[in-house]
Amino acid sequence: MITGYDTVLITGAPVDAGIRAMLDDLHERWPGMLVAVGGEQVGPFLPWRRVRAQVPAGAGEVYVARDAEMERRWDEVGYSLMEHDEGPFALLYEPSGEPAVEIQLNEDPYHRTDFGFEPYPATLVTAGMSLVTVVTPDKGSPFSRELLDALRQALIGQAPG
């Protein structure tokens, strides 16, 4: 069943290292966490410590379930919140296919407080960057927001400089 909400992040950080850091932290909360690495086929789902070293560099797909029960129900109910308002999620990533993209800045990247701010267009040079699609159960639940924040923080922690 295909459900879920996609959020795209663009990063210059090594995505595989960020994913490992994020999932190491989540594993403390989800000790029975099962993870599958995808590609032409997904799986099998295995305990995180057995799959950790297999998270591909550059491009890959990583599917995560809290435990065997969540992984089993994933096919029935898709990316939905289950017990404890948690659900399965996926991380799909690859190098940017475009060297630059047009974006709109909705927040002041300079953090100037003495000027008013109006959103404006900009060009994001994506050469050497990766696109990361995070598929969560929904857009606004605390669980989905926590996952996105955890991945952002893990990627920031891996960023050079």
Side-chain angles (χ1 to χ4, degrees):
M1 171 183 282
I2 302 296
T3 60
Y5 183 81
D6 293 1
T7 301
V8 177
L9 305 176
I10 302 170
T11 184
V15 178
D16 58 318
I19 288 173
R20 280 192 293 277
M22 173 203 179
L23 294 182
D24 284 345
D25 287 345
L26 182 60
H27 186 252
E28 292 178 20
R29 185 166 120 196
W30 285 3
M33 183 169 72
L34 298 176
V35 177
V37 174
E40 291 186 25
Q41 81 176 56
V42 175
F45 278 85
L46 298 170
W48 169 236
R49 293 291 178 213
R50 288 186 52 197
V51 178
R52 188 181 190 282
Q54 298 172 24
V55 174
E61 300 175 7
V62 179
Y63 300 87
V64 183
R66 179 186 60 227
D67 52 30
E69 179 64 16
M70 182 179 281
E71 188 269 324
R72 184 190 65 74
R73 292 186 54 216
W74 198 337
D75 286 336
E76 298 168 21
V77 298
Y79 291 90
S80 62
L81 293 174
M82 297 181 194
E83 295 80 21
H84 313 292
D85 290 325
E86 299 174 326
F89 63 96
L91 305 157
L92 305 98
Y93 55 100
E94 63 185 77
S96 175
E98 295 292 328
V101 294
E102 298 304 313
I103 62 172
Q104 177 169 309
L105 295 173
N106 294 321
E107 298 175 23
D108 185 356
Y110 300 104
H111 298 285
R112 296 176 290 212
T113 57
D114 50 344
F115 297 102
F117 179 79
E118 301 252 348
Y120 60 91
T123 300
L124 177 64
V125 178
T126 58
M129 300 183 101
S130 294
L131 305 174
V132 182
T133 301
V134 185
V135 185
T136 55
D138 59 12
K139 179 180 180 180
S141 70
F143 174 75
S144 294
R145 288 192 317 266
E146 287 171 18
L147 283 178
L148 291 171
D149 186 54
L151 181 58
R152 271 190 224 99
Q153 293 306 314
L155 291 170
I156 289 168
Q158 302 301 316

